[in-house]
């Protein structure tokens, strides 16, 4: 396929804010309760109720906006977006239309090839979430009924709308990954795409080379509600391919909303935008405009934590390889684990190596996370200290770490129970070395004739005799010494 | 001693608080009165005789001190049926709410109960408060106690008629474009619309959120002051309720400059009404006040602006009646079918008319021409009042251009019905306080005089009107409901 078009992608990301209560009432906002147990007259849309804005939600939204380099408007307002659906109790969603909370931000993405690139954020606005429908039956098509759960109705959301600056599915992935990382450091949301606390719609269109019209006029396809970053990427990849083929065949691309099928990796048509809703937005008369003072906005800015860009820089300046730094920075829990560990242990590189290899492997295998790992940063530091003091070898430490994860015991305890201790007594090792050499004269000859592997065999034999507790460097050294001293000249 | 049901709330409370009479006797007297007359008048949609008597007996067990501390103890109160209550059904005058029982009480209900009021029932209204005659109730029309062939006005017609017919001394109404003041005028009672934000709207079934305001309907100005004193105040459940706003101190002058807007005294006013109003104005002059002609130049656009803004907000506020969670649900068909049938069967014609009008006004392509333009007019109207109150203390007008009309007279002509709101809608658009007080009779029917004041001058407004009440002839008894 000839590449005579450019991929244009814009993303709309909905993020549920981690407040104790909902946006306009005192109900708990937490996920996972019994259906309709987190409801009250206000979020059920009973006759006569009125919304009261949750201050904390605005605080979290402003934190997010500032961290994403947005300008926060000193004056914004709420509007009603109107449509009928059983998960929307008032038949309107309180949102922000033409005067959103914040505008003109950006996120920097770093494609593998080339420079970092700023992706514009057009706007961030605050709105309430809708409830959820649970359809009875196998598929929506033959559902026998639908149950409405309004626990989520009224949970605060921010919608982060990017400019159509993304040029590939990979860039969309980078943008989402970076966005999620930034928000994770702010601690404003659970950010769980599988639970719906972060949701993404992707707008995809192709711009033929030489096209000079407005981007808005290109036929745009919106892929709705994809449940993971990986699937957003897959959906865009598929959509680019599909649209490109249509263009090649000379077909017109229809402006529409499409879903993404995880199993097939394809998008499928949901509804045509030509017959789109008229949401009849108008200013919400039940809420006064939101007026934020410059001083307050500034105080929120001052209280922002260290964000990924600053952290990357700090890690690299501490000698962490950029690739490792990237892994740490994209997982806030990993970074916090790392921070705590390196506070107590000098060697940043060693901590990083252990974390990103053995600790990461065990956490993944056990389905844990850094924040809830069976072995926390203190445990890891204790283990590293045992290696540093020469009590155990690095190889032994791997076994000890596994046991620590398994039993929850501390490093020292595991070592004691297993009867492990590195034999560092030169005399003791020397006598074992001499014994082993006596038994393998042929191997000695191999070694002396230049076969390096022969030495490794001999080291293995000594380790076997000491049940792995001899210090490997020392064994190596002693084998060479004794061979050269006792056997070389005997030739 | 006069009959208990003939006394105003102020007197009833005094008698009860001094131990002279029991709350039970007060309630029984009013229940008897309802029993005797409401089949003629049709003011009530629900009477909670049992609940009111139970509450009365509880209050009878209170010490005199406890009675005194609660300014409405011993006083029966009726609520317009768009104010939600946990212990009585709420219909908003519509079929669409079905057998709805609110899971919570409106803030004004809590305040009334804390003040010792005895809730006696819910009064009739035009469906969702949309109307000026109470003929648009889904249940039955209410009749005017002065002439049962005539309407009581609306939409708070049930409350106005109940108070005028002495079935209850006090009722609450709601006023979006005149729905307290116009029926007060037609029924010869006092009706007050406070400054927007003075009284919490939490629990008032919304018609037009930026215009709705709850207020008292009584037979005396002192009663309106008493009830306003209880129900106003900031409410954490209502973000548009005013917080920490003290009553402004009115001019201490004994002589006021009273503005008479040219636009309100033009053609189209009934001669009888004009005569009564002129007499009242003479009385004001007699009190030493100066009458000044003023102009509110954007008055001509008020009805048009009001009938865009109010329906626009209503179309949104009434969307929640969709058959999904509560109220009526039509059966059969798919989701869209259920929505359509429920709303088609549940709403009356006037509500449908306004929902359609409002939906259209907010539609893409029409929003700027209709809704936005109407909002600009609203700003001009507010500025008109700001300017007028630079030079006058109060504004006085007739409440309506006419007296109560015969049932059915305007049913086929909604525009004529809408035009009847011409003198009242501007106060809602500007958010200022207004009240209607009885000024006399024209051809045996009450005529209301409207007072308007600057924002927040609610208490001052009540005081000002009371000075006139003192010098006017007391209103005679309504013909239809004599003792």
């Amino acid at each position: 396929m000839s590449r005579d078009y450019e991929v244009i992608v814009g993303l709309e990301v909905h993020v549920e804010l981690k407040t104790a209560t909902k946006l306009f009432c005192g109900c708990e906002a937490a996920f996972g309760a019994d259906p309709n147990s987190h409801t009250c007259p206000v979020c059920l849309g009973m006759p006569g109720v009125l919304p009261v804005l949750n201050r904390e939600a605005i605080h979290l939204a402003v934190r997010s906006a500032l961290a994403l380099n947005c300008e926060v408007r000193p004056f914004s307002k709420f509007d009603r977006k109107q449509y009928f659906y059983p998960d929307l109790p008032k038949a309107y969603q309180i949102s922000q239309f033409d005067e959103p909370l914040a505008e003109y931000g950006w996120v920097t993405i770093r494609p593998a090839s080339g420079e970092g690139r700023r992706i514009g954020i057009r706007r961030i606005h605050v709105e309430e979430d809708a409830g959820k429908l649970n359809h009875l039956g196998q598929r929506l098509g033959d559902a026998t009924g639908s149950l409405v759960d309004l626990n989520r109705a009224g949970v605060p959301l921010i919608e982060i709308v990017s400019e159509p600056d993304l040029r590939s599915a990979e860039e969309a992935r980078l943008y989402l990954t970076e966005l999620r990382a930034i928000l994770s450091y702010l601690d404003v949301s659970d950010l769980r795409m599988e639970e719906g606390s972060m949701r993404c719609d992707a707008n995809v269109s192709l711009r033929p080379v030489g096209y000079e019209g407005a981007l808005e006029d290109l036929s745009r396809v919106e892929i709705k509600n994809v449940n993971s970053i990986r699937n957003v990427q897959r959906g865009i990849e598929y959509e680019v391919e599909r649209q490109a083929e249509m263009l090649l065949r000379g077909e017109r691309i229809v402006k529409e909303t499409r879903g993404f099928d995880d199993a097939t990796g394809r998008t499928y048509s949901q509804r045509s935008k030509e017959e789109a809703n008229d949401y009849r937005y108008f200013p919400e008369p039940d809420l006064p405009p939101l007026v934020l003072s410059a001083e307050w906005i500034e105080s929120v800015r001052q209280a922002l934590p260290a964000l990924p860009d600053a952290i990357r820089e700090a890690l690299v300046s501490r000698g962490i390889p950029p690739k490792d730094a990237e892994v740490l920075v994209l997982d806030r829990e990993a970074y916090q684990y790392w921070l705590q560990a390196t506070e107590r242990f000098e060697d940043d590189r060693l901590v990083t190596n252990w974390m990103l290899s053995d600790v990461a492997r065990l956490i993944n295998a056990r389905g844990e996370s850094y924040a809830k790992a069976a072995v926390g940063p203190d445990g890891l530091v204790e283990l590293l200290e045992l290696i540093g003091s020469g009590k155990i070898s690095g190889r032994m430490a791997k076994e000890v770490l596994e046991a620590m994860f398994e039993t929850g015991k501390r490093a020292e305890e595991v070592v004691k129970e297993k009867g492990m201790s590195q034999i560092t007594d030169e005399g003791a090792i020397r006598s074992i070395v001499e014994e082993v050499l006596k038994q393998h004269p042929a191997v000695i000859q191999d070694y002396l004739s230049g076969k390096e592997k022969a030495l490794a065999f001999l080291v293995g034999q000594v380790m076997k005799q000491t049940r792995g507790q001899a210090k490997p460097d020392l064994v190596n050294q002693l084998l060479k010494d004794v061979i050269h001293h006792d056997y070389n000249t005997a030739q | 001693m006069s009959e208990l049901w003939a006394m105003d709330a102020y007197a009833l409370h005094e008698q009860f608080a001094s131990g002279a009479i029991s709350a039970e006797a007060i309630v029984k007297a009013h229940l008897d009165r309802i029993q005797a007359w409401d089949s003629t008048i049709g003011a009530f949609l629900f009477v909670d005789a049992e609940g009111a008597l139970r509450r009365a007996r509880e209050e009878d067990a209170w010490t005199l001190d406890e009675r005194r501390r609660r300014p409405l103890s011993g006083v029966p109160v009726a609520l317009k049926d768009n104010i939600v209550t946990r212990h009585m059904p709420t219909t908003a005058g519509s079929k669409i709410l079905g057998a709805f029982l609110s899971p919570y009480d409106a803030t004004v209900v809590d305040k009334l109960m804390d003040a010792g009021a005895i809730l006696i029932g819910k009064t009739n209204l035009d469906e969702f408060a949309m109307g000026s005659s109470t003929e648009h109730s889904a249940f039955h029309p209410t009749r005017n106690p002065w002439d049962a062939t005539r309407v009581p006005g609306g939409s708070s017609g049930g409350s106005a008629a109940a108070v005028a017919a002495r079935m209850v001394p006090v009722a609450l109404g709601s006023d979006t474009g005149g729905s307290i003041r116009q029926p007060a005028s037609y029924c010869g009672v006092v009706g007050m619309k406070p400054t927007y934000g003075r009284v919490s709207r939490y629990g008032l079934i919304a018609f037009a959120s930026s215009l709705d305001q709850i207020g008292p309907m009584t037979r005396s100005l002192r009663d309106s002051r008493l009830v306003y004193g209880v129900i106003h105040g900031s409410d954490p459940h209502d973000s548009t309720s005013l917080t920490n706003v003290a009553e402004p101190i009115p001019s201490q002058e004994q002589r006021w400059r009273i503005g008479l807007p040219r636009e309100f005294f033009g053609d189209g006013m009934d001669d009888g009404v004009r005569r009564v109003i002129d007499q009242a104005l003479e009385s004001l002059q007699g009190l030493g006040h100066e009458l000044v002609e003023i102009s509110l130049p954007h008055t001509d656009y008020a009805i048009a602006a009001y009938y865009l803004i109010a329906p626009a907000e209503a179309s949104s506020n009434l969307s929640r009646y969709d058959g999904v969670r509560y109220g009526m649900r039509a059966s059969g068909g798919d989701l869209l079918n259920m929505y359509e049938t429920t709303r088609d069967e549940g709403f009356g014609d006037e509500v449908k008319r306004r929902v359609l009008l409002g939906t259209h006004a907010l539609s893409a392509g029409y929003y700027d021409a209709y809704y936005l333009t109407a909002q600009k007019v609203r700003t001009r109207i507010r500025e008109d009042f700001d300017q007028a109150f630079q030079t006058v203390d109060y504004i006085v007008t007739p409440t309506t251009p006419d007296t109560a009309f015969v049932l059915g007279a305007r049913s086929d002509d909604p525009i004529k019905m809408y035009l009847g709101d011409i003198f009242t809608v501007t106060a809602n658009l500007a958010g200022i306080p207004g009240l209607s007080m009885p000024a006399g009779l024209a051809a045996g029917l009450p005529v209301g005089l409207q007072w308007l004041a600057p924002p927040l001058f609610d208490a001052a407004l009540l005081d000002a009107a009371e000075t006139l009440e003192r010098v006017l002839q007391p209103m005679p008894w309504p013909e239809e409901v004599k003792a």
Side-chain angles (χ1 to χ4, degrees):
Chain A
M1 201 184 327
S2 69
R3 193 186 157 76
D4 47 8
Y5 58 83
E6 191 178 16
V7 176
I8 310 285
V9 175
L11 298 180
E12 290 167 16
V13 178
H14 284 92
V15 175
E16 273 185 8
L17 297 175
K18 205 158 77 179
T19 51
T21 57
K22 293 185 179 181
L23 187 55
F24 297 117
C25 65
C27 289
E28 265 186 70
F31 177 82
D34 285 345
N36 297 308
S37 60
H38 290 174
T39 57
C40 73
V42 175
C43 57
L44 290 175
M46 287 287 173
V49 297
L50 297 169
V52 177
L53 185 60
N54 180 335
R55 280 171 168 272
E56 181 58 11
I58 297 305
H59 177 220
L60 297 184
V62 169
R63 259 169 88 83
S64 308
L66 293 173
L68 296 171
N69 307 297
C70 287
E71 289 174 24
V72 174
R73 295 174 63 105
F75 180 101
S76 64
K77 68 176 173 62
F78 290 91
D79 301 275
R80 294 184 182 177
K81 177 182 180 178
Q82 313 193 68
Y83 60 94
F84 285 93
Y85 206 60
D87 66 5
L88 191 65
K90 300 184 294 296
Y92 58 82
Q93 176 194 32
I94 303 179
S95 179
Q96 296 188 296
F97 182 49
D98 54 348
E99 294 179 272
L101 182 79
E103 295 164 300
Y104 316 122
W106 75 83
V107 164
T108 305
I109 60 168
R110 292 176 183 69
S113 58
E115 290 285 287
R117 207 158 81 69
R118 275 187 185 182
I119 304 302
I121 289 175
R122 181 176 294 174
R123 56 183 279 157
I124 296 179
H125 67 255
V126 180
E127 62 188 20
E128 58 179 337
D129 210 342
K132 245 186 216 164
L133 294 189
N134 297 304
H135 302 292
L136 304 172
Q138 294 299 305
R139 306 154 53 92
L140 185 52
D142 50 45
T144 52
S146 300
L147 300 174
V148 184
D149 177 5
L150 295 175
N151 280 350
R152 204 180 65 181
V155 167
L157 290 176
I158 48 174
E159 181 174 339
I160 303 166
V161 183
S162 85
E163 294 289 351
D165 288 349
L166 299 159
R167 293 291 169 267
S168 66
E170 168 64 6
E171 287 198 353
R173 182 188 70 81
L174 289 170
Y175 169 84
L176 287 173
T177 309
E178 187 66 12
L179 182 68
R180 183 160 68 176
I182 293 169
L183 295 175
S184 74
Y185 284 90
L186 300 172
D187 203 19
V188 293
S189 171
D190 287 337
L191 300 170
R192 295 204 181 102
M193 287 190 84
E194 69 285 1
E195 285 180 6
S197 52
M198 179 172 167
R199 308 196 281 273
C200 180
D201 304 335
N203 287 297
V204 183
S205 49
L206 298 186
R207 173 164 60 185
V209 167
Y211 175 86
E212 284 179 357
L215 286 184
E216 304 298 323
D217 297 336
L218 290 170
S219 271
R220 185 163 74 238
V221 169
E222 183 174 26
I223 312 171
K224 272 275 187 208
N225 270 331
V226 191
N227 63 0
S228 70
I229 293 180
R230 171 82 191 115
N231 282 344
V232 172
Q233 189 183 5
R234 289 172 69 203
I236 296 170
E237 277 164 1
Y238 177 83
E239 195 50 35
V240 167
E241 199 116 332
R242 189 185 71 86
Q243 292 185 24
E245 279 171 17
M246 286 177 74
L247 289 180
L248 267 187
R249 288 198 299 266
E251 290 171 30
R252 198 171 71 90
I253 290 158
V254 190
K255 193 171 180 179
E256 62 178 345
T257 299
R258 298 178 71 87
F260 177 75
D261 184 340
D262 193 1
T264 63
R266 296 178 180 182
T267 64
Y268 57 92
S269 183
Q270 281 184 321
R271 65 163 196 259
S272 162
K273 281 253 171 172
E274 318 275 344
E275 55 199 64
N277 278 324
D278 174 2
Y279 290 120
R280 288 175 288 116
Y281 279 101
F282 79 106
E284 167 57 276
D286 288 331
L287 289 169
L290 179 61
V291 180
L292 303 174
S293 75
E295 295 76 47
W296 184 77
I297 294 170
E298 195 47 39
S299 74
V300 175
R301 191 195 306 279
Q302 293 303 323
L304 287 178
L307 293 170
D309 273 343
I311 293 169
R312 275 188 188 95
E313 223 171 278
L315 285 172
V316 172
S317 75
R318 280 171 73 165
I320 306 302
K323 224 177 158 183
D324 290 351
E326 198 58 26
V327 177
L328 288 175
V329 85
L330 289 180
D331 181 346
R332 175 183 175 233
E333 291 185 358
Y335 173 64
Q336 284 176 338
Y337 192 106
W338 185 90
L339 269 188
Q340 285 175 39
T342 52
E343 211 166 276
R344 294 181 189 78
F345 195 80
E346 275 205 338
D347 188 341
D348 293 349
R349 293 287 295 268
L350 194 63
V351 168
T352 310
N353 290 342
W354 273 85
M355 273 184 65
L356 299 187
S357 55
D358 296 76
V359 175
R361 178 176 51 80
L362 288 164
I363 283 177
N364 284 338
R366 297 165 56 83
E368 293 171 356
S369 66
Y370 276 100
K372 289 176 186 143
V375 176
D378 289 351
L380 177 63
V381 167
E382 283 173 18
L383 181 71
L384 297 184
E385 278 167 349
L386 288 182
I387 303 171
S389 68
K391 265 199 160 166
I392 56 172
S393 65
R395 186 183 313 187
M396 290 159 72
K398 284 177 193 284
E399 195 188 327
V400 174
L401 185 67
E402 267 177 52
M404 288 165 72
F405 266 95
E406 208 59 52
T407 62
K409 289 177 178 164
R410 299 173 59 171
E412 197 105 34
E413 234 177 308
V414 173
V415 168
K416 197 181 279 173
E417 276 182 14
K418 293 209 173 210
M420 285 174 164
S421 68
Q422 187 164 239
I423 300 169
T424 51
D425 173 357
E426 200 182 315
I429 298 177
R430 182 180 288 273
S431 62
I432 295 165
V433 164
E434 284 169 351
E435 190 62 30
V436 166
L437 290 176
K438 253 184 224 157
Q439 288 165 11
H440 299 287
V443 183
I444 298 170
Q445 289 316 309
D446 286 351
Y447 171 70
L448 287 174
S449 63
K451 287 187 183 167
E452 282 292 323
K453 272 191 178 168
L455 188 68
F457 171 80
L458 293 169
V459 171
Q461 291 303 307
V462 176
M463 295 307 280
K464 203 171 163 187
Q465 295 275 323
T466 60
R467 287 187 297 134
Q469 293 178 17
K471 193 177 181 189
D473 298 355
L474 198 55
V475 173
N476 234 310
Q477 193 54 49
L478 284 175
L479 276 168
K480 285 181 189 166
D481 283 359
V482 176
I483 290 171
H484 286 286
H485 190 266
D486 292 359
Y487 295 89
N488 205 15
T489 49
Q491 198 55 24
Chain B
M1 195 171 77
S2 63
E3 297 282 358
L4 292 177
W5 45 261
M7 294 162 66
D8 73 355
Y10 197 95
L12 286 172
H13 168 72
E14 277 199 333
Q15 298 274 312
F16 174 64
S18 70
I21 50 175
S22 74
E24 187 173 358
I26 296 171
V27 168
K28 275 187 171 156
H30 286 92
L31 287 173
D32 287 349
R33 189 76 186 158
I34 292 169
Q35 178 74 35
W37 291 107
D38 203 40
S39 54
T40 309
I41 301 300
F44 283 88
L45 289 176
F46 184 83
V47 176
D48 186 15
E50 212 175 294
L53 284 168
R54 189 168 51 240
R55 168 83 170 180
R57 287 183 203 114
E58 279 168 29
E59 295 196 6
D60 283 332
W62 291 354
T63 64
L64 296 189
D65 190 49
E66 282 171 321
R67 297 179 189 189
R68 266 194 295 274
R69 262 186 288 142
R70 295 176 172 82
L72 287 176
S73 63
V75 178
V77 175
L79 302 170
K80 185 178 181 179
D81 202 24
N82 59 353
I83 296 170
V84 303
T85 43
R86 272 188 302 151
H87 301 295
M88 294 185 272
T90 304
T91 67
S94 181
K95 280 192 289 187
I96 204 159
L97 276 168
F100 177 72
L101 195 61
S102 173
Y104 74 105
D105 279 327
T107 297
V108 289
V109 171
D110 288 339
K111 284 180 180 273
L112 287 172
M113 292 299 282
D114 287 349
I118 300 166
L119 301 184
I120 202 163
K122 308 289 286 283
T123 59
N124 200 12
L125 66 156
D126 289 301
E127 185 175 1
F128 286 101
M130 296 177 187
S132 312
S133 67
T134 317
E135 293 167 292
H136 299 298
S137 164
F139 303 101
H140 53 77
T142 297
R143 288 164 188 277
N144 193 312
W146 294 81
D147 176 352
T149 66
R150 294 176 184 272
V151 301
S155 65
S156 310
S159 286
V163 172
R166 275 68 173 171
M167 293 190 275
V168 68
V170 168
L172 295 190
S174 69
D175 190 317
T176 306
S179 278
I180 287 175
R181 290 161 289 156
Q182 185 256 21
S185 173
Y186 280 8
C187 290
V189 300
V190 177
M192 179 205 188
K193 181 203 90 74
T195 302
Y196 183 79
R198 274 291 195 196
V199 178
S200 168
R201 292 184 295 116
Y202 189 69
L204 171 65
I205 294 184
F207 163 11
S209 313
S210 73
L211 303 162
D212 295 342
Q213 195 60 188
I214 294 173
M217 305 186 80
T218 64
R219 289 191 299 270
S220 64
L221 273 151
R222 63 178 188 175
D223 275 7
S224 278
R225 185 189 301 108
L226 179 65
V227 176
Y228 168 74
V230 166
I231 62 174
H232 85 282
S234 70
D235 178 8
H237 289 298
D238 179 356
S239 310
T240 62
S241 76
L242 300 165
T243 47
N244 304 317
V245 182
E247 290 289 339
I249 297 162
S251 155
Q252 293 305 297
E253 290 284 329
Q254 295 304 303
R255 291 154 179 246
W256 304 314
R257 285 168 64 85
I258 295 177
L260 308 178
R262 188 181 305 142
E263 293 79 5
F264 288 57
F265 286 88
D267 298 336
M269 200 195 306
D270 182 277
D271 287 343
V273 170
R274 189 182 296 272
R275 268 195 300 279
V276 172
I277 297 297
D278 283 347
Q279 278 168 19
L281 294 178
E282 273 173 38
S283 301
L284 284 171
Q285 274 176 316
L287 288 166
H289 305 312
E290 187 187 350
L291 302 181
V292 189
E293 188 183 271
I294 58 164
S295 175
L296 298 167
H298 294 90
T299 303
D300 282 352
Y301 307 105
I303 288 287
Y306 175 82
Y307 278 98
L308 286 169
I309 293 169
E313 293 183 9
S315 71
S316 176
N317 286 330
L318 268 58
S319 298
R320 71 188 59 191
Y321 309 108
D322 58 6
V324 174
R325 293 167 315 286
Y326 48 78
M328 207 189 102
R329 176 190 292 177
S331 58
D334 58 9
L335 180 65
L336 187 63
N337 203 275
M338 188 279 280
Y339 282 149
E340 288 177 351
T341 317
T342 299
R343 290 168 67 82
D344 186 36
E345 291 173 2
F347 288 140
D349 286 346
E350 184 58 28
V351 168
K352 283 180 198 164
R353 181 158 32 238
R354 297 200 196 192
V355 168
L356 281 172
L357 192 63
T359 302
H360 189 66
L362 292 177
S363 296
Y366 297 98
Y367 180 87
D368 288 3
Y370 293 138
Y371 184 78
L372 218 55
T373 308
Q375 289 293 5
K376 285 178 190 158
V377 170
R378 186 175 186 175
T379 305
R380 295 282 174 279
I381 287 170
R382 193 177 295 139
E383 288 165 356
D384 280 357
F385 279 110
D386 285 349
Q387 199 144 22
F389 287 123
Q390 303 277 319
T391 57
V392 299
D393 298 294
Y394 302 99
I395 292 171
V396 164
T397 77
T399 308
T400 55
D402 54 9
T403 52
F405 52 89
V406 172
L407 260 79
R410 293 185 188 168
S411 302
D412 299 332
D413 191 351
I415 301 291
K416 192 164 183 201
M417 185 87 92
Y418 298 170
L419 288 173
D421 300 339
I422 180 69
F423 296 158
T424 48
V425 293
T426 52
N428 302 80
L429 290 169
I432 61 172
L435 70 77
S436 177
M437 64 184 289
L441 295 179
L445 294 170
V447 172
L449 181 81
Q450 176 175 240
W451 289 74
L452 302 171
L456 307 179
F457 279 73
D458 301 273
L461 181 68
L462 290 161
D463 292 346
E466 197 174 13
T467 62
L468 179 62
E469 183 188 48
R470 281 192 209 113
V471 299
L472 290 179
Q473 294 285 325
M475 287 290 277
W477 280 68
E479 286 293 326
E480 300 278 353
V481 290
K482 289 239 158 96

